[in-house]
Amino acid sequence: MTTQRLPFPVPDERAHLFVNSYADMHDLVEDLVVPIGVPEAAATVPRTARELLRQSYYCYEFSTVAVMHSLIAVEIVLRDRIPGAGKKPLQKLIEQGTDAGILTARQAEYLDYGRKIRNGMAHGQTTHAVMPPAMATEMVTTSFAVVTELCAADLSHRSWVVSH
């Protein structure tokens, strides 16, 4: 059996369409900070999305994965904040969140677009989706904003309180 050594990461040639170096990726994601008050178990989801976005410098497709991952955090907080959310699909949560004034129309638009990509990939309808990091950044930023706003709006809400 022959073993294959994986090469060290090299910048994806498409990365230079949006940044000059890996160090520039920090500027792209520096505002994506997990809000205070989010338990570690929930905080890892948006943090991972941010790091996937940063690593899209080496693997362009990671920007799409970052969006899909960031939607997990949004779904968690929407499910937590929308009464009777139960097991409703994300599309319904986005609609209810917009109707209730929890989400802006712009946030709902970004989230729904990301949801469609996620669903297409999860159900085998889309086998390869490449989202430019600039677009992915807007969507991941929206996810961070929703998580931040919903956590800040109700820090006393039972599942988002951090015990010390």
Side-chain angles (χ1 to χ4, degrees):
M1 182 167 120
T2 305
T3 58
Q4 178 184 2
R5 287 189 68 93
L6 294 175
F8 284 101
V10 295
D12 188 298
E13 62 188 38
R14 298 166 287 184
H16 295 289
L17 299 173
F18 59 96
V19 294
N20 292 319
S21 69
Y22 180 72
D24 295 335
M25 295 303 289
H26 178 74
D27 294 337
L28 192 66
V29 301
E30 70 181 334
D31 294 331
L32 300 178
V33 179
V34 177
I36 294 172
V38 176
E40 187 60 26
T44 61
V45 177
R47 200 176 294 130
T48 299
R50 179 191 63 219
E51 293 310 312
L52 282 164
L53 192 55
R54 189 187 329 232
Q55 295 303 317
S56 68
Y57 181 77
Y58 295 107
C59 181
Y60 199 75
E61 289 77 7
F62 280 179
S63 60
T64 304
V65 179
V67 169
M68 292 171 36
H69 204 73
S70 73
L71 289 172
I72 294 169
V74 171
E75 191 165 357
I76 290 168
V77 296
L78 286 177
R79 197 167 302 286
D80 194 54
R81 287 293 308 276
I82 295 174
K87 295 187 183 245
K88 290 180 182 171
L90 182 56
Q91 179 179 3
K92 293 292 181 197
L93 296 176
I94 292 169
E95 290 170 5
Q96 280 187 266
T98 305
D99 292 344
I102 294 172
L103 298 174
T104 67
R106 185 78 166 162
Q107 288 172 330
E109 178 185 342
Y110 277 129
L111 296 173
D112 196 53
Y113 184 68
R115 177 196 65 80
K116 288 175 183 173
I117 292 169
R118 179 194 74 171
N119 288 355
M121 292 181 82
H123 299 293
Q125 298 160 344
T126 304
T127 56
H128 185 73
V130 178
M131 183 177 301
M135 179 185 272
T137 300
E138 288 296 321
M139 297 173 113
V140 173
T141 299
T142 297
S143 294
F144 267 78
V146 169
V147 169
T148 300
E149 291 164 14
L150 294 181
C151 289
D154 193 8
L155 283 177
S156 64
H157 201 264
R158 64 174 167 71
S159 64
W160 291 101
V161 173
V162 178
S163 299
H164 294 287

